[in-house]
Amino acid sequence: QVQLVESGGGLVQTGGSRRLSCERSGSIFSISAMGWYRQAPGKQRELVATISSGGSTNYADSVKGRFTISRDNAKNTVYLQMNSLKPEDTAVYYCNALIKERQWVPPRDYWGRGTQVTVSS
């Protein structure tokens, strides 16, 4: 069974840094885009950053220049390095991956359970 498990969340002060990790377990046929999303209380889930299988990245305007997404295919892991954190970055951060489990089935989205990041002012 394919699973995505996030780690690295916690409490950090304004201006601080945090690195989130998302490890994928379970056998698959292929994996393409991976990404991070976040959801703050009372708000909709929003895209933070994505990375393609080729390494192309995309960021929300609110995190450009502060966050960096990367992936280590050998470790089945995607990372989100967050610097210069602000109180408005406080949210539950979710890992996402577009995965094809078997050759003959279409790819679909998988989600982790999320990890809380709280930035204190």
Side-chain angles (χ1 to χ4, degrees):
Q1 184 177 0
V2 177
Q3 286 188 319
L4 300 176
V5 179
E6 302 98 336
S7 61
L11 178 65
V12 62
Q13 291 187 335
T14 296
S17 297
R18 203 83 182 179
R19 190 176 84 154
L20 304 182
S21 300
C22 171
E23 184 174 2
R24 190 260 305 161
S25 62
S27 65
I28 63 169
F29 177 75
S30 66
I31 185 168
S32 53
M34 300 187 74
W36 289 93
Y37 290 72
R38 67 186 181 187
Q39 187 166 18
K43 294 188 177 182
Q44 289 189 331
R45 190 174 298 189
E46 63 176 4
L47 179 146
V48 176
T50 61
I51 184 167
S52 71
S53 57
S56 298
T57 58
N58 179 53
Y59 296 93
D61 287 343
S62 59
V63 306
K64 280 181 182 176
R66 300 188 299 122
F67 290 11
T68 302
I69 188 171
S70 61
R71 63 193 286 176
D72 185 334
N73 293 328
K75 294 183 178 180
N76 299 323
T77 300
V78 62
Y79 304 96
L80 185 69
Q81 177 66 43
M82 305 185 294
N83 299 328
S84 303
L85 282 161
K86 306 174 182 179
E88 50 263 45
D89 294 319
T90 295
V92 178
Y93 284 72
Y94 297 91
C95 177
N96 168 267
L98 186 62
I99 292 173
K100 196 175 175 66
E101 276 198 68
R102 300 290 182 266
Q103 184 176 4
W104 54 87
V105 299
R108 71 174 186 91
D109 276 316
Y110 286 81
W111 293 90
R113 292 190 174 187
T115 185
Q116 176 71 46
V117 174
T118 302
V119 184
S120 63
S121 56

